[in-house]
mmCIF file with all atom_site columns, all heavy atoms in Angstrom:
data_model
loop_
_atom_site.group_PDB
_atom_site.id
_atom_site.type_symbol
_atom_site.label_atom_id
_atom_site.label_alt_id
_atom_site.label_comp_id
_atom_site.label_asym_id
_atom_site.label_entity_id
_atom_site.label_seq_id
_atom_site.pdbx_PDB_ins_code
_atom_site.Cartn_x
_atom_site.Cartn_y
_atom_site.Cartn_z
_atom_site.occupancy
_atom_site.B_iso_or_equiv
_atom_site.pdbx_formal_charge
_atom_site.auth_seq_id
_atom_site.auth_comp_id
_atom_site.auth_asym_id
_atom_site.auth_atom_id
_atom_site.pdbx_PDB_model_num
ATOM 1   N N   . LEU A 1 32  ? -54.924 5.645   -19.587 1.00 0.00 ? 58  LEU A N   1
ATOM 2   C CA  . LEU A 1 32  ? -55.779 4.782   -20.403 1.00 0.00 ? 58  LEU A CA  1
ATOM 3   C C   . LEU A 1 32  ? -57.219 4.795   -19.888 1.00 0.00 ? 58  LEU A C   1
ATOM 4   O O   . LEU A 1 32  ? -58.166 4.682   -20.666 1.00 0.00 ? 58  LEU A O   1
ATOM 5   C CB  . LEU A 1 32  ? -55.220 3.356   -20.379 1.00 0.00 ? 58  LEU A CB  1
ATOM 6   C CG  . LEU A 1 32  ? -55.646 2.390   -21.490 1.00 0.00 ? 58  LEU A CG  1
ATOM 7   C CD1 . LEU A 1 32  ? -55.249 2.924   -22.860 1.00 0.00 ? 58  LEU A CD1 1
ATOM 8   C CD2 . LEU A 1 32  ? -55.031 1.022   -21.256 1.00 0.00 ? 58  LEU A CD2 1
ATOM 9   N N   . THR A 1 45  ? -55.745 3.534   -31.439 1.00 0.00 ? 71  THR A N   1
ATOM 10  C CA  . THR A 1 45  ? -54.992 4.453   -30.575 1.00 0.00 ? 71  THR A CA  1
ATOM 11  C C   . THR A 1 45  ? -54.659 3.794   -29.248 1.00 0.00 ? 71  THR A C   1
ATOM 12  O O   . THR A 1 45  ? -53.537 3.924   -28.746 1.00 0.00 ? 71  THR A O   1
ATOM 13  C CB  . THR A 1 45  ? -55.807 5.739   -30.334 1.00 0.00 ? 71  THR A CB  1
ATOM 14  O OG1 . THR A 1 45  ? -56.112 6.346   -31.585 1.00 0.00 ? 71  THR A OG1 1
ATOM 15  C CG2 . THR A 1 45  ? -55.025 6.720   -29.470 1.00 0.00 ? 71  THR A CG2 1
ATOM 16  N N   . PHE A 1 53  ? -45.556 2.312   -24.939 1.00 0.00 ? 79  PHE A N   1
ATOM 17  C CA  . PHE A 1 53  ? -45.040 2.358   -23.580 1.00 0.00 ? 79  PHE A CA  1
ATOM 18  C C   . PHE A 1 53  ? -44.618 0.976   -23.069 1.00 0.00 ? 79  PHE A C   1
ATOM 19  O O   . PHE A 1 53  ? -43.848 0.880   -22.123 1.00 0.00 ? 79  PHE A O   1
ATOM 20  C CB  . PHE A 1 53  ? -46.064 3.004   -22.653 1.00 0.00 ? 79  PHE A CB  1
ATOM 21  C CG  . PHE A 1 53  ? -46.193 4.484   -22.881 1.00 0.00 ? 79  PHE A CG  1
ATOM 22  C CD1 . PHE A 1 53  ? -47.312 5.014   -23.507 1.00 0.00 ? 79  PHE A CD1 1
ATOM 23  C CD2 . PHE A 1 53  ? -45.171 5.342   -22.500 1.00 0.00 ? 79  PHE A CD2 1
ATOM 24  C CE1 . PHE A 1 53  ? -47.419 6.386   -23.741 1.00 0.00 ? 79  PHE A CE1 1
ATOM 25  C CE2 . PHE A 1 53  ? -45.272 6.712   -22.727 1.00 0.00 ? 79  PHE A CE2 1
ATOM 26  C CZ  . PHE A 1 53  ? -46.394 7.222   -23.355 1.00 0.00 ? 79  PHE A CZ  1
ATOM 27  N N   . SER A 1 58  ? -39.806 -1.813  -21.382 1.00 0.00 ? 84  SER A N   1
ATOM 28  C CA  . SER A 1 58  ? -38.819 -2.883  -21.540 1.00 0.00 ? 84  SER A CA  1
ATOM 29  C C   . SER A 1 58  ? -37.400 -2.325  -21.674 1.00 0.00 ? 84  SER A C   1
ATOM 30  O O   . SER A 1 58  ? -36.459 -2.840  -21.073 1.00 0.00 ? 84  SER A O   1
ATOM 31  C CB  . SER A 1 58  ? -39.169 -3.728  -22.771 1.00 0.00 ? 84  SER A CB  1
ATOM 32  O OG  . SER A 1 58  ? -38.218 -4.746  -22.970 1.00 0.00 ? 84  SER A OG  1
ATOM 33  N N   . VAL A 1 70  ? -36.590 -9.762  -27.013 1.00 0.00 ? 96  VAL A N   1
ATOM 34  C CA  . VAL A 1 70  ? -38.037 -9.958  -26.873 1.00 0.00 ? 96  VAL A CA  1
ATOM 35  C C   . VAL A 1 70  ? -38.730 -9.761  -28.209 1.00 0.00 ? 96  VAL A C   1
ATOM 36  O O   . VAL A 1 70  ? -39.560 -10.584 -28.629 1.00 0.00 ? 96  VAL A O   1
ATOM 37  C CB  . VAL A 1 70  ? -38.611 -8.985  -25.813 1.00 0.00 ? 96  VAL A CB  1
ATOM 38  C CG1 . VAL A 1 70  ? -40.135 -8.977  -25.873 1.00 0.00 ? 96  VAL A CG1 1
ATOM 39  C CG2 . VAL A 1 70  ? -38.142 -9.364  -24.424 1.00 0.00 ? 96  VAL A CG2 1
ATOM 40  N N   . LEU A 1 71  ? -38.395 -8.676  -28.902 1.00 0.00 ? 97  LEU A N   1
ATOM 41  C CA  . LEU A 1 71  ? -39.063 -8.360  -30.169 1.00 0.00 ? 97  LEU A CA  1
ATOM 42  C C   . LEU A 1 71  ? -38.746 -9.398  -31.246 1.00 0.00 ? 97  LEU A C   1
ATOM 43  O O   . LEU A 1 71  ? -39.609 -9.716  -32.087 1.00 0.00 ? 97  LEU A O   1
ATOM 44  C CB  . LEU A 1 71  ? -38.659 -6.964  -30.639 1.00 0.00 ? 97  LEU A CB  1
ATOM 45  C CG  . LEU A 1 71  ? -39.156 -5.808  -29.758 1.00 0.00 ? 97  LEU A CG  1
ATOM 46  C CD1 . LEU A 1 71  ? -38.625 -4.478  -30.274 1.00 0.00 ? 97  LEU A CD1 1
ATOM 47  C CD2 . LEU A 1 71  ? -40.682 -5.792  -29.694 1.00 0.00 ? 97  LEU A CD2 1
ATOM 48  N N   . LEU A 1 79  ? -44.553 -14.811 -37.394 1.00 0.00 ? 105 LEU A N   1
ATOM 49  C CA  . LEU A 1 79  ? -44.332 -15.442 -38.693 1.00 0.00 ? 105 LEU A CA  1
ATOM 50  C C   . LEU A 1 79  ? -44.792 -16.893 -38.676 1.00 0.00 ? 105 LEU A C   1
ATOM 51  O O   . LEU A 1 79  ? -45.396 -17.383 -39.636 1.00 0.00 ? 105 LEU A O   1
ATOM 52  C CB  . LEU A 1 79  ? -42.847 -15.362 -39.067 1.00 0.00 ? 105 LEU A CB  1
ATOM 53  C CG  . LEU A 1 79  ? -42.302 -13.968 -39.381 1.00 0.00 ? 105 LEU A CG  1
ATOM 54  C CD1 . LEU A 1 79  ? -40.789 -14.033 -39.605 1.00 0.00 ? 105 LEU A CD1 1
ATOM 55  C CD2 . LEU A 1 79  ? -42.999 -13.377 -40.610 1.00 0.00 ? 105 LEU A CD2 1
ATOM 56  N N   . MET A 1 90  ? -54.574 -28.175 -43.969 1.00 0.00 ? 116 MET A N   1
ATOM 57  C CA  . MET A 1 90  ? -54.105 -29.517 -43.654 1.00 0.00 ? 116 MET A CA  1
ATOM 58  C C   . MET A 1 90  ? -54.604 -29.895 -42.253 1.00 0.00 ? 116 MET A C   1
ATOM 59  O O   . MET A 1 90  ? -54.230 -29.280 -41.259 1.00 0.00 ? 116 MET A O   1
ATOM 60  C CB  . MET A 1 90  ? -52.573 -29.563 -43.702 1.00 0.00 ? 116 MET A CB  1
ATOM 61  C CG  . MET A 1 90  ? -51.996 -29.149 -45.049 1.00 0.00 ? 116 MET A CG  1
ATOM 62  S SD  . MET A 1 90  ? -50.203 -28.861 -44.994 1.00 0.00 ? 116 MET A SD  1
ATOM 63  C CE  . MET A 1 90  ? -49.633 -30.458 -44.390 1.00 0.00 ? 116 MET A CE  1
ATOM 64  N N   . CYS A 1 111 ? -33.818 -21.207 -24.283 1.00 0.00 ? 137 CYS A N   1
ATOM 65  C CA  . CYS A 1 111 ? -32.526 -20.650 -24.705 1.00 0.00 ? 137 CYS A CA  1
ATOM 66  C C   . CYS A 1 111 ? -32.126 -19.490 -23.796 1.00 0.00 ? 137 CYS A C   1
ATOM 67  O O   . CYS A 1 111 ? -30.952 -19.363 -23.408 1.00 0.00 ? 137 CYS A O   1
ATOM 68  C CB  . CYS A 1 111 ? -32.601 -20.180 -26.152 1.00 0.00 ? 137 CYS A CB  1
ATOM 69  S SG  . CYS A 1 111 ? -32.784 -21.508 -27.359 1.00 0.00 ? 137 CYS A SG  1
ATOM 70  N N   . ARG A 1 116 ? -28.823 -17.514 -19.208 1.00 0.00 ? 142 ARG A N   1
ATOM 71  C CA  . ARG A 1 116 ? -28.692 -16.950 -17.854 1.00 0.00 ? 142 ARG A CA  1
ATOM 72  C C   . ARG A 1 116 ? -27.978 -17.925 -16.929 1.00 0.00 ? 142 ARG A C   1
ATOM 73  O O   . ARG A 1 116 ? -27.195 -17.533 -16.070 1.00 0.00 ? 142 ARG A O   1
ATOM 74  C CB  . ARG A 1 116 ? -30.072 -16.613 -17.304 1.00 0.00 ? 142 ARG A CB  1
ATOM 75  C CG  . ARG A 1 116 ? -30.000 -16.011 -15.908 1.00 0.00 ? 142 ARG A CG  1
ATOM 76  C CD  . ARG A 1 116 ? -31.321 -15.497 -15.410 1.00 0.00 ? 142 ARG A CD  1
ATOM 77  N NE  . ARG A 1 116 ? -31.164 -14.826 -14.138 1.00 0.00 ? 142 ARG A NE  1
ATOM 78  C CZ  . ARG A 1 116 ? -32.127 -14.220 -13.484 1.00 0.00 ? 142 ARG A CZ  1
ATOM 79  N NH1 . ARG A 1 116 ? -33.338 -14.194 -13.985 1.00 0.00 ? 142 ARG A NH1 1
ATOM 80  N NH2 . ARG A 1 116 ? -31.899 -13.627 -12.323 1.00 0.00 ? 142 ARG A NH2 1
ATOM 81  N N   . VAL A 1 128 ? -34.364 -10.284 -18.813 1.00 0.00 ? 154 VAL A N   1
ATOM 82  C CA  . VAL A 1 128 ? -35.492 -10.375 -19.725 1.00 0.00 ? 154 VAL A CA  1
ATOM 83  C C   . VAL A 1 128 ? -36.209 -11.717 -19.653 1.00 0.00 ? 154 VAL A C   1
ATOM 84  O O   . VAL A 1 128 ? -37.301 -11.878 -20.225 1.00 0.00 ? 154 VAL A O   1
ATOM 85  C CB  . VAL A 1 128 ? -34.994 -10.095 -21.167 1.00 0.00 ? 154 VAL A CB  1
ATOM 86  C CG1 . VAL A 1 128 ? -34.275 -11.324 -21.741 1.00 0.00 ? 154 VAL A CG1 1
ATOM 87  C CG2 . VAL A 1 128 ? -36.139 -9.642  -22.052 1.00 0.00 ? 154 VAL A CG2 1
ATOM 88  N N   . ASP A 1 148 ? -58.346 -24.111 -31.746 1.00 0.00 ? 174 ASP A N   1
ATOM 89  C CA  . ASP A 1 148 ? -59.747 -24.379 -31.412 1.00 0.00 ? 174 ASP A CA  1
ATOM 90  C C   . ASP A 1 148 ? -60.697 -23.706 -32.392 1.00 0.00 ? 174 ASP A C   1
ATOM 91  O O   . ASP A 1 148 ? -61.803 -24.202 -32.630 1.00 0.00 ? 174 ASP A O   1
ATOM 92  C CB  . ASP A 1 148 ? -60.050 -23.896 -29.990 1.00 0.00 ? 174 ASP A CB  1
ATOM 93  C CG  . ASP A 1 148 ? -59.311 -24.701 -28.931 1.00 0.00 ? 174 ASP A CG  1
ATOM 94  O OD1 . ASP A 1 148 ? -58.955 -25.861 -29.207 1.00 0.00 ? 174 ASP A OD1 1
ATOM 95  O OD2 . ASP A 1 148 ? -59.076 -24.155 -27.832 1.00 0.00 ? 174 ASP A OD2 1
ATOM 96  N N   . GLU A 1 159 ? -64.369 -23.601 -21.581 1.00 0.00 ? 185 GLU A N   1
ATOM 97  C CA  . GLU A 1 159 ? -63.211 -22.712 -21.444 1.00 0.00 ? 185 GLU A CA  1
ATOM 98  C C   . GLU A 1 159 ? -62.397 -22.647 -22.722 1.00 0.00 ? 185 GLU A C   1
ATOM 99  O O   . GLU A 1 159 ? -61.667 -21.686 -22.952 1.00 0.00 ? 185 GLU A O   1
ATOM 100 C CB  . GLU A 1 159 ? -62.340 -23.143 -20.268 1.00 0.00 ? 185 GLU A CB  1
ATOM 101 C CG  . GLU A 1 159 ? -61.840 -24.572 -20.332 1.00 0.00 ? 185 GLU A CG  1
ATOM 102 C CD  . GLU A 1 159 ? -61.249 -25.033 -19.012 1.00 0.00 ? 185 GLU A CD  1
ATOM 103 O OE1 . GLU A 1 159 ? -60.336 -24.357 -18.504 1.00 0.00 ? 185 GLU A OE1 1
ATOM 104 O OE2 . GLU A 1 159 ? -61.686 -26.066 -18.494 1.00 0.00 ? 185 GLU A OE2 1
ATOM 105 N N   . SER A 1 176 ? -49.791 -5.440  -29.324 1.00 0.00 ? 202 SER A N   1
ATOM 106 C CA  . SER A 1 176 ? -50.370 -4.828  -28.137 1.00 0.00 ? 202 SER A CA  1
ATOM 107 C C   . SER A 1 176 ? -50.611 -5.875  -27.056 1.00 0.00 ? 202 SER A C   1
ATOM 108 O O   . SER A 1 176 ? -50.334 -5.649  -25.872 1.00 0.00 ? 202 SER A O   1
ATOM 109 C CB  . SER A 1 176 ? -51.682 -4.125  -28.496 1.00 0.00 ? 202 SER A CB  1
ATOM 110 O OG  . SER A 1 176 ? -52.332 -3.640  -27.344 1.00 0.00 ? 202 SER A OG  1
ATOM 111 N N   . ARG A 1 196 ? -58.800 -8.047  -25.913 1.00 0.00 ? 222 ARG A N   1
ATOM 112 C CA  . ARG A 1 196 ? -59.340 -7.292  -27.050 1.00 0.00 ? 222 ARG A CA  1
ATOM 113 C C   . ARG A 1 196 ? -60.680 -6.649  -26.688 1.00 0.00 ? 222 ARG A C   1
ATOM 114 O O   . ARG A 1 196 ? -60.958 -5.509  -27.086 1.00 0.00 ? 222 ARG A O   1
ATOM 115 C CB  . ARG A 1 196 ? -59.502 -8.211  -28.261 1.00 0.00 ? 222 ARG A CB  1
ATOM 116 C CG  . ARG A 1 196 ? -59.924 -7.465  -29.521 1.00 0.00 ? 222 ARG A CG  1
ATOM 117 C CD  . ARG A 1 196 ? -59.792 -8.317  -30.764 1.00 0.00 ? 222 ARG A CD  1
ATOM 118 N NE  . ARG A 1 196 ? -60.727 -9.438  -30.757 1.00 0.00 ? 222 ARG A NE  1
ATOM 119 C CZ  . ARG A 1 196 ? -60.792 -10.353 -31.727 1.00 0.00 ? 222 ARG A CZ  1
ATOM 120 N NH1 . ARG A 1 196 ? -59.933 -10.287 -32.749 1.00 0.00 ? 222 ARG A NH1 1
ATOM 121 N NH2 . ARG A 1 196 ? -61.649 -11.343 -31.667 1.00 0.00 ? 222 ARG A NH2 1
ATOM 122 N N   . GLN A 1 245 ? -24.318 -25.290 11.828  1.00 0.00 ? 271 GLN A N   1
ATOM 123 C CA  . GLN A 1 245 ? -24.390 -24.947 13.248  1.00 0.00 ? 271 GLN A CA  1
ATOM 124 C C   . GLN A 1 245 ? -25.831 -24.737 13.698  1.00 0.00 ? 271 GLN A C   1
ATOM 125 O O   . GLN A 1 245 ? -26.221 -25.164 14.794  1.00 0.00 ? 271 GLN A O   1
ATOM 126 C CB  . GLN A 1 245 ? -23.567 -23.686 13.527  1.00 0.00 ? 271 GLN A CB  1
ATOM 127 C CG  . GLN A 1 245 ? -22.058 -23.877 13.356  1.00 0.00 ? 271 GLN A CG  1
ATOM 128 C CD  . GLN A 1 245 ? -21.281 -22.619 13.693  1.00 0.00 ? 271 GLN A CD  1
ATOM 129 O OE1 . GLN A 1 245 ? -21.843 -21.526 13.806  1.00 0.00 ? 271 GLN A OE1 1
ATOM 130 N NE2 . GLN A 1 245 ? -19.965 -22.768 13.842  1.00 0.00 ? 271 GLN A NE2 1
ATOM 131 N N   . VAL A 1 254 ? -38.191 -26.997 15.601  1.00 0.00 ? 280 VAL A N   1
ATOM 132 C CA  . VAL A 1 254 ? -37.718 -25.611 15.495  1.00 0.00 ? 280 VAL A CA  1
ATOM 133 C C   . VAL A 1 254 ? -37.281 -25.324 14.058  1.00 0.00 ? 280 VAL A C   1
ATOM 134 O O   . VAL A 1 254 ? -37.584 -24.252 13.503  1.00 0.00 ? 280 VAL A O   1
ATOM 135 C CB  . VAL A 1 254 ? -36.558 -25.351 16.480  1.00 0.00 ? 280 VAL A CB  1
ATOM 136 C CG1 . VAL A 1 254 ? -35.954 -23.967 16.238  1.00 0.00 ? 280 VAL A CG1 1
ATOM 137 C CG2 . VAL A 1 254 ? -37.053 -25.464 17.913  1.00 0.00 ? 280 VAL A CG2 1
ATOM 138 N N   . TYR A 1 271 ? -46.044 -11.619 -3.908  1.00 0.00 ? 297 TYR A N   1
ATOM 139 C CA  . TYR A 1 271 ? -47.270 -10.883 -3.615  1.00 0.00 ? 297 TYR A CA  1
ATOM 140 C C   . TYR A 1 271 ? -47.163 -9.429  -4.064  1.00 0.00 ? 297 TYR A C   1
ATOM 141 O O   . TYR A 1 271 ? -48.134 -8.849  -4.560  1.00 0.00 ? 297 TYR A O   1
ATOM 142 C CB  . TYR A 1 271 ? -47.574 -10.935 -2.117  1.00 0.00 ? 297 TYR A CB  1
ATOM 143 C CG  . TYR A 1 271 ? -47.839 -12.319 -1.559  1.00 0.00 ? 297 TYR A CG  1
ATOM 144 C CD1 . TYR A 1 271 ? -47.670 -12.598 -0.202  1.00 0.00 ? 297 TYR A CD1 1
ATOM 145 C CD2 . TYR A 1 271 ? -48.269 -13.362 -2.375  1.00 0.00 ? 297 TYR A CD2 1
ATOM 146 C CE1 . TYR A 1 271 ? -47.912 -13.848 0.321   1.00 0.00 ? 297 TYR A CE1 1
ATOM 147 C CE2 . TYR A 1 271 ? -48.504 -14.619 -1.869  1.00 0.00 ? 297 TYR A CE2 1
ATOM 148 C CZ  . TYR A 1 271 ? -48.329 -14.861 -0.510  1.00 0.00 ? 297 TYR A CZ  1
ATOM 149 O OH  . TYR A 1 271 ? -48.569 -16.112 0.001   1.00 0.00 ? 297 TYR A OH  1
ATOM 150 N N   . ILE A 1 309 ? -54.956 -14.566 1.511   1.00 0.00 ? 335 ILE A N   1
ATOM 151 C CA  . ILE A 1 309 ? -55.588 -15.182 2.672   1.00 0.00 ? 335 ILE A CA  1
ATOM 152 C C   . ILE A 1 309 ? -55.823 -16.672 2.440   1.00 0.00 ? 335 ILE A C   1
ATOM 153 O O   . ILE A 1 309 ? -55.463 -17.518 3.275   1.00 0.00 ? 335 ILE A O   1
ATOM 154 C CB  . ILE A 1 309 ? -56.920 -14.477 3.009   1.00 0.00 ? 335 ILE A CB  1
ATOM 155 C CG1 . ILE A 1 309 ? -56.694 -12.994 3.291   1.00 0.00 ? 335 ILE A CG1 1
ATOM 156 C CG2 . ILE A 1 309 ? -57.592 -15.163 4.206   1.00 0.00 ? 335 ILE A CG2 1
ATOM 157 C CD1 . ILE A 1 309 ? -55.779 -12.728 4.456   1.00 0.00 ? 335 ILE A CD1 1
ATOM 158 N N   . LEU A 1 332 ? -51.969 -23.168 -17.526 1.00 0.00 ? 358 LEU A N   1
ATOM 159 C CA  . LEU A 1 332 ? -51.617 -24.583 -17.562 1.00 0.00 ? 358 LEU A CA  1
ATOM 160 C C   . LEU A 1 332 ? -52.857 -25.458 -17.743 1.00 0.00 ? 358 LEU A C   1
ATOM 161 O O   . LEU A 1 332 ? -52.809 -26.479 -18.432 1.00 0.00 ? 358 LEU A O   1
ATOM 162 C CB  . LEU A 1 332 ? -50.865 -24.970 -16.285 1.00 0.00 ? 358 LEU A CB  1
ATOM 163 C CG  . LEU A 1 332 ? -49.443 -24.418 -16.165 1.00 0.00 ? 358 LEU A CG  1
ATOM 164 C CD1 . LEU A 1 332 ? -48.900 -24.617 -14.757 1.00 0.00 ? 358 LEU A CD1 1
ATOM 165 C CD2 . LEU A 1 332 ? -48.513 -25.072 -17.182 1.00 0.00 ? 358 LEU A CD2 1
ATOM 166 N N   . ARG A 1 343 ? -55.936 -38.141 -15.634 1.00 0.00 ? 369 ARG A N   1
ATOM 167 C CA  . ARG A 1 343 ? -55.717 -37.111 -14.617 1.00 0.00 ? 369 ARG A CA  1
ATOM 168 C C   . ARG A 1 343 ? -54.300 -37.150 -14.059 1.00 0.00 ? 369 ARG A C   1
ATOM 169 O O   . ARG A 1 343 ? -53.655 -36.106 -13.883 1.00 0.00 ? 369 ARG A O   1
ATOM 170 C CB  . ARG A 1 343 ? -56.726 -37.307 -13.480 1.00 0.00 ? 369 ARG A CB  1
ATOM 171 C CG  . ARG A 1 343 ? -56.717 -36.186 -12.446 1.00 0.00 ? 369 ARG A CG  1
ATOM 172 C CD  . ARG A 1 343 ? -57.733 -36.465 -11.358 1.00 0.00 ? 369 ARG A CD  1
ATOM 173 N NE  . ARG A 1 343 ? -57.741 -35.425 -10.345 1.00 0.00 ? 369 ARG A NE  1
ATOM 174 C CZ  . ARG A 1 343 ? -58.446 -35.496 -9.234  1.00 0.00 ? 369 ARG A CZ  1
ATOM 175 N NH1 . ARG A 1 343 ? -59.182 -36.563 -8.986  1.00 0.00 ? 369 ARG A NH1 1
ATOM 176 N NH2 . ARG A 1 343 ? -58.401 -34.517 -8.357  1.00 0.00 ? 369 ARG A NH2 1
ATOM 177 N N   . VAL A 1 353 ? -43.904 -29.183 -17.300 1.00 0.00 ? 379 VAL A N   1
ATOM 178 C CA  . VAL A 1 353 ? -43.889 -27.964 -18.117 1.00 0.00 ? 379 VAL A CA  1
ATOM 179 C C   . VAL A 1 353 ? -43.670 -26.737 -17.246 1.00 0.00 ? 379 VAL A C   1
ATOM 180 O O   . VAL A 1 353 ? -42.937 -25.807 -17.616 1.00 0.00 ? 379 VAL A O   1
ATOM 181 C CB  . VAL A 1 353 ? -45.194 -27.846 -18.928 1.00 0.00 ? 379 VAL A CB  1
ATOM 182 C CG1 . VAL A 1 353 ? -45.294 -26.471 -19.596 1.00 0.00 ? 379 VAL A CG1 1
ATOM 183 C CG2 . VAL A 1 353 ? -45.277 -28.948 -19.980 1.00 0.00 ? 379 VAL A CG2 1
ATOM 184 N N   . ARG A 1 379 ? -53.922 -36.593 -1.936  1.00 0.00 ? 405 ARG A N   1
ATOM 185 C CA  . ARG A 1 379 ? -55.151 -37.202 -2.442  1.00 0.00 ? 405 ARG A CA  1
ATOM 186 C C   . ARG A 1 379 ? -55.479 -38.487 -1.683  1.00 0.00 ? 405 ARG A C   1
ATOM 187 O O   . ARG A 1 379 ? -56.647 -38.780 -1.397  1.00 0.00 ? 405 ARG A O   1
ATOM 188 C CB  . ARG A 1 379 ? -55.008 -37.491 -3.937  1.00 0.00 ? 405 ARG A CB  1
ATOM 189 C CG  . ARG A 1 379 ? -55.043 -36.248 -4.807  1.00 0.00 ? 405 ARG A CG  1
ATOM 190 C CD  . ARG A 1 379 ? -54.760 -36.584 -6.260  1.00 0.00 ? 405 ARG A CD  1
ATOM 191 N NE  . ARG A 1 379 ? -54.784 -35.388 -7.103  1.00 0.00 ? 405 ARG A NE  1
ATOM 192 C CZ  . ARG A 1 379 ? -54.366 -35.359 -8.353  1.00 0.00 ? 405 ARG A CZ  1
ATOM 193 N NH1 . ARG A 1 379 ? -53.880 -36.470 -8.917  1.00 0.00 ? 405 ARG A NH1 1
ATOM 194 N NH2 . ARG A 1 379 ? -54.401 -34.229 -9.051  1.00 0.00 ? 405 ARG A NH2 1
ATOM 195 N N   . HIS A 1 384 ? -58.688 -41.647 2.082   1.00 0.00 ? 410 HIS A N   1
ATOM 196 C CA  . HIS A 1 384 ? -58.700 -42.729 3.069   1.00 0.00 ? 410 HIS A CA  1
ATOM 197 C C   . HIS A 1 384 ? -58.789 -42.266 4.525   1.00 0.00 ? 410 HIS A C   1
ATOM 198 O O   . HIS A 1 384 ? -59.336 -42.990 5.363   1.00 0.00 ? 410 HIS A O   1
ATOM 199 C CB  . HIS A 1 384 ? -57.436 -43.582 2.904   1.00 0.00 ? 410 HIS A CB  1
ATOM 200 C CG  . HIS A 1 384 ? -57.369 -44.313 1.596   1.00 0.00 ? 410 HIS A CG  1
ATOM 201 N ND1 . HIS A 1 384 ? -58.102 -45.459 1.334   1.00 0.00 ? 410 HIS A ND1 1
ATOM 202 C CD2 . HIS A 1 384 ? -56.665 -44.055 0.464   1.00 0.00 ? 410 HIS A CD2 1
ATOM 203 C CE1 . HIS A 1 384 ? -57.841 -45.882 0.108   1.00 0.00 ? 410 HIS A CE1 1
ATOM 204 N NE2 . HIS A 1 384 ? -56.973 -45.043 -0.448  1.00 0.00 ? 410 HIS A NE2 1
ATOM 205 N N   . LEU A 1 395 ? -63.896 -33.259 15.534  1.00 0.00 ? 421 LEU A N   1
ATOM 206 C CA  . LEU A 1 395 ? -62.986 -34.038 14.694  1.00 0.00 ? 421 LEU A CA  1
ATOM 207 C C   . LEU A 1 395 ? -62.721 -33.331 13.366  1.00 0.00 ? 421 LEU A C   1
ATOM 208 O O   . LEU A 1 395 ? -61.600 -33.338 12.856  1.00 0.00 ? 421 LEU A O   1
ATOM 209 C CB  . LEU A 1 395 ? -63.567 -35.430 14.439  1.00 0.00 ? 421 LEU A CB  1
ATOM 210 C CG  . LEU A 1 395 ? -63.508 -36.420 15.598  1.00 0.00 ? 421 LEU A CG  1
ATOM 211 C CD1 . LEU A 1 395 ? -64.225 -37.714 15.237  1.00 0.00 ? 421 LEU A CD1 1
ATOM 212 C CD2 . LEU A 1 395 ? -62.048 -36.723 15.974  1.00 0.00 ? 421 LEU A CD2 1
ATOM 213 N N   . LEU A 1 421 ? -31.884 -23.033 -5.278  1.00 0.00 ? 447 LEU A N   1
ATOM 214 C CA  . LEU A 1 421 ? -31.479 -23.243 -6.675  1.00 0.00 ? 447 LEU A CA  1
ATOM 215 C C   . LEU A 1 421 ? -30.447 -24.349 -6.855  1.00 0.00 ? 447 LEU A C   1
ATOM 216 O O   . LEU A 1 421 ? -30.580 -25.219 -7.706  1.00 0.00 ? 447 LEU A O   1
ATOM 217 C CB  . LEU A 1 421 ? -30.935 -21.941 -7.286  1.00 0.00 ? 447 LEU A CB  1
ATOM 218 C CG  . LEU A 1 421 ? -31.882 -20.752 -7.321  1.00 0.00 ? 447 LEU A CG  1
ATOM 219 C CD1 . LEU A 1 421 ? -31.171 -19.527 -7.906  1.00 0.00 ? 447 LEU A CD1 1
ATOM 220 C CD2 . LEU A 1 421 ? -33.138 -21.050 -8.112  1.00 0.00 ? 447 LEU A CD2 1
ATOM 221 N N   . LEU A 1 428 ? -28.491 -30.579 0.968   1.00 0.00 ? 454 LEU A N   1
ATOM 222 C CA  . LEU A 1 428 ? -28.066 -30.278 2.337   1.00 0.00 ? 454 LEU A CA  1
ATOM 223 C C   . LEU A 1 428 ? -29.259 -29.849 3.191   1.00 0.00 ? 454 LEU A C   1
ATOM 224 O O   . LEU A 1 428 ? -29.389 -30.274 4.352   1.00 0.00 ? 454 LEU A O   1
ATOM 225 C CB  . LEU A 1 428 ? -27.004 -29.186 2.326   1.00 0.00 ? 454 LEU A CB  1
ATOM 226 C CG  . LEU A 1 428 ? -26.446 -28.739 3.689   1.00 0.00 ? 454 LEU A CG  1
ATOM 227 C CD1 . LEU A 1 428 ? -25.802 -29.920 4.413   1.00 0.00 ? 454 LEU A CD1 1
ATOM 228 C CD2 . LEU A 1 428 ? -25.435 -27.617 3.509   1.00 0.00 ? 454 LEU A CD2 1
#
Side-chain angles (χ1 to χ4, degrees):
L58 200 60
T71 302
F79 288 107
S84 178
V96 168
L97 293 177
L105 291 175
M116 302 168 57
C137 292
R142 181 172 185 177
V154 77
D174 293 336
E185 57 193 305
S202 174
R222 186 168 66 181
Q271 292 182 346
V280 173
Y297 297 157
I335 301 299
L358 289 168
R369 188 180 179 186
V379 170
R405 288 174 180 169
H410 295 283
L421 285 175
L447 300 178
L454 180 60

